[in-house]
Amino acid sequence: MRGLFSLFTIFQVGLAGTLFWLHYWVISEFYRDIPLPDRYTGYFILAMGGLLMEALLRYFNETRILHLAFAQAHRIAIRQAITVGALGIIFLVAKKEFAISRLFLSTYVVLVYVVQVWACVFIPPLLARWAFRKSAQENTLLMGSPRRLEALHSWLELKRTLGINPVGLLTTQLDSQASLVPVLGKPEDLEQVVRKHKVTQLILLEFPAMTEALRTIMGLCENLGIRLVVVSDLEEKFHHPIIYKNDDGVALLGVRDEVLENPLNRVLKRAFDLAMALPVVVLVLPPVCVLVWFLHRLHSPGPLFYRQTRAGLMNHTFSIWKFRTMHVDNPSEGRQASAGDARVFPSGRWLRKFSVDELPQFLNAIDGSMSVVGPRPHLPEHNEQFASALSNYHIRAFIKPGITGLAQVRGFRGETKTEEQIRRRILSDIDYLENWSLAMDLNIVLRTTWQMFRPPPSAY
C-alpha cells in the first residue's frame, strides 16, 4: 500500500505539473499580455513541492488509496487545491510578483481539484493492476478455522487487488464449508498442498495453540521458500483492541492508548488548567462567595465551604472544595443527592442546578489535585460500588478528575440510578482518556458554560 501510495503521488505531481504548463499555454494563446514562462517557474516549483508535502503528511497517517469513495477523493483533492492556491498567494505576496496572471492562478486551482478527484477515483486501481499483474500475484494458502476465514472475508477480497490470490484453506474442521476458498486438507498436508498449488505465501488466520506447532510451520515455510504471515487474534483473546508499541527494541502490547502519557501533553493540559482556573479564582470566586454567604444566611446558616474526601488520580484521595448546598445537620453525607432531596436547602437547589456550587473546585485545579476537565471525582465508597457493577470502572482514574467532563456535557450528570447510567458515564470518561486534546478540553469548557445557563434535566 505504501508503495502504491508513492507511485500514485508521483503520478499526481506529474499530472499537476503537466497541467500547469498546458494551462499556461492555453492562457497565453488567448491573452497575449501573459509574461514569459520563466516568470512562472518559481511558482511551479513551489506548487509541486506543496503537493509533495501534502502527500507526505498523508503518508504517515493514511496510505489507503484503493476503493476510495467520491467523498474521500474530494477531501484529498480539496486539500491539494487549497495547498496550491495558498502557496500561489504566498508567492505573489512574498515576491511582489504582479506579472503572474490572477486568472491563471484561480483557474489552475480549480483544474487541480477537478483533475485530482478524477485521478483519486480511477488511477489507483489501474496502478494496482499494473503492479500486481498475473506474474506478480501471490498464490496464498490460508490456515485456520473457517470461522476466522469468514471474519476476514471482506479484507481478503480487498487484497485481491494487491495481488493476493487465495487458493484454498487448510483446517482441522474438514466437514466445514468455506465460502471464499475450497478446503484443501488439514494443517499436516501443508507441504503437499504448497507444492501442488505452487503456493508462494501462507497466511495463518490465528496463532497456533502450541508454540511447537508454530515453529514447525515456520521451519517448513523457510524450507519451501514461501512467505509466512500471521493474522493476530490477540484482540479476540483480550476482548479488547490492542495497541502495538516498540520501545527501545522491546516489543510491547497495550490495551489502551493514553494520550496524556506524553509529558508534553501533560504540561499543555496543566497550562490550560492554570489559564482557566486563575482568572476564575481571582475575578469570579470572590463576588460569588459574597452571594452564596448571603443565601446561606437566608436559608441555612453555617460554613460557606464544604470539604469532602474524594477519589482522584490513581484513586488517591484528596479533599474537594464546594459551596455548601445542604443543611449542616446532614445525617447521610455519603448518599447521592436526588430530585427533591430534603437535605438540600432552597437556595442550595439553585446553586446545584446552575453548577455554582462547583466553582470552588478551581482551587483544586490550582493546587493540582484536580483538572478543569476530566472524569468527575466520586466518593471512595461510591467508587467501590460502581466498580462492582463495571469491571473497567477504575480505568477513569488514569487521569486527574475534573470540574467538568465529557460525560457531563453529554448529559450524564446527576444521580446514577442504574448500571446503564454508570456504564454510559464510564464509556465517556474512557473516550476522553484515549482521545484527549486541547481542542476537546476547550470544547467541553464552552459546552459546560452553556449548560450553566441552560441546565439539562438531570441537573439537581
Side-chain angles (χ1 to χ4, degrees), residues 318-349:
F318 71 100
S319 293
I320 193 172
W321 288 85
K322 298 185 75 171
F323 284 128
R324 184 174 57 85
T325 59
M326 294 185 178
H327 295 293
V328 176
D329 53 342
N330 181 359
S332 53
E333 294 183 354
R335 179 163 57 89
Q336 294 184 72
S338 56
D341 199 318
R343 298 172 299 167
V344 181
F345 55 84
S347 56
R349 292 191 180 89

Side-chain angles (χ1 to χ4, degrees), residues 10 19 35 52 59 95 103 162 183 195 251 286 331 361 380:
I10 293 170
L19 182 66
L52 284 172
Y59 183 84
K95 295 277 292 182
L103 173 65
L162 298 177
V183 175
R195 296 186 187 281
Q361 288 164 39

Side-chain angles (χ1 to χ4, degrees), residues 179-193:
S179 61
L180 183 64
V181 293
V183 175
L184 300 179
K186 296 181 291 186
E188 46 265 40
D189 301 325
L190 175 60
E191 183 173 0
Q192 176 187 347
V193 173

Side-chain angles (χ1 to χ4, degrees), residues 208-406:
M210 303 294 292
T211 305
E212 189 58 38
L214 180 58
R215 287 177 181 164
T216 301
I217 292 170
M218 288 177 62
L220 193 53
C221 288
E222 293 288 321
N223 291 335
L224 294 172
I226 65 174
R227 293 183 180 88
L228 174 63
V229 179
V230 182
V231 178
S232 173
D233 59 345
L234 291 177
E235 294 195 359
E236 288 188 16
K237 288 182 166 127
F238 279 87
H239 300 289
H240 196 282
I242 297 295
I243 306 297
Y244 297 89
K245 303 177 182 179
N246 189 293
D247 185 74
D248 288 336
V250 178
L252 302 172
L253 296 178
V255 295
R256 208 169 300 282
D257 192 13
E258 300 173 53
V259 185
L260 287 169
E261 281 185 310
N262 186 323
L264 174 61
N265 289 340
R266 291 202 297 269
V267 169
L268 291 174
K269 184 166 177 60
R270 181 64 180 149
F272 179 84
D273 289 343
L274 292 174
M276 296 296 300
L278 285 171
V280 172
V281 169
V282 173
L283 302 176
V284 178
L285 194 57
V288 174
C289 283
V290 175
L291 172 63
V292 174
W293 178 87
F294 179 73
L295 293 175
H296 281 178
R297 301 283 75 76
L298 285 178
H299 297 123
S300 181
L304 178 63
F305 295 107
Y306 172 67
R307 299 190 71 182
Q308 189 179 54
T309 299
R310 295 288 178 96
L313 180 66
M314 302 309 295
N315 283 325
H316 298 310
T317 57
F318 71 100
S319 293
I320 193 172
W321 288 85
K322 298 185 75 171
F323 284 128
R324 184 174 57 85
T325 59
M326 294 185 178
H327 295 293
V328 176
D329 53 342
N330 181 359
S332 53
E333 294 183 354
R335 179 163 57 89
Q336 294 184 72
S338 56
D341 199 318
R343 298 172 299 167
V344 181
F345 55 84
S347 56
R349 292 191 180 89
W350 179 84
L351 294 175
R352 298 175 73 92
K353 184 176 181 66
F354 292 95
S355 302
V356 178
D357 63 321
E358 312 286 4
L359 284 177
Q361 288 164 39
F362 282 98
L363 294 169
N364 290 111
I366 289 176
D367 71 24
S369 57
M370 289 181 68
S371 183
V372 172
V373 181
R376 286 295 295 157
H378 297 147
L379 290 165
E381 53 265 37
H382 289 172
N383 264 7
E384 296 307 315
Q385 174 190 341
F386 297 152
S388 64
L390 286 170
S391 60
N392 62 347
Y393 174 80
H394 285 304
I395 296 298
R396 66 200 300 275
F398 286 1
I399 52 176
K400 285 182 185 179
I403 301 169
T404 184
L406 186 59

Side-chain angles (χ1 to χ4, degrees), residues 441-457:
D441 271 6
L442 182 59
N443 178 269
I444 290 172
V445 168
L446 292 174
R447 290 167 68 181
T448 301
T449 304
W450 172 253
Q451 287 187 358
M452 290 181 68
F453 298 100
R454 294 286 301 272

Side-chain angles (χ1 to χ4, degrees), residues 2-56:
R2 290 187 181 277
L4 276 181
F5 184 94
S6 301
L7 283 173
F8 180 55
T9 298
I10 293 170
F11 176 86
Q12 283 187 301
V13 173
L15 184 64
T18 303
L19 182 66
F20 184 96
W21 293 116
L22 182 62
H23 186 52
Y24 168 82
W25 177 77
V26 171
I27 292 289
S28 63
E29 285 294 310
F30 287 94
Y31 296 92
R32 297 298 178 183
D33 57 341
I34 294 295
L36 295 174
D38 61 321
R39 303 296 295 272
Y40 285 74
T41 303
Y43 174 50
F44 168 78
I45 294 171
L46 196 63
M48 298 307 106
L51 289 176
L52 284 172
M53 287 298 297
E54 188 276 335
L56 187 63

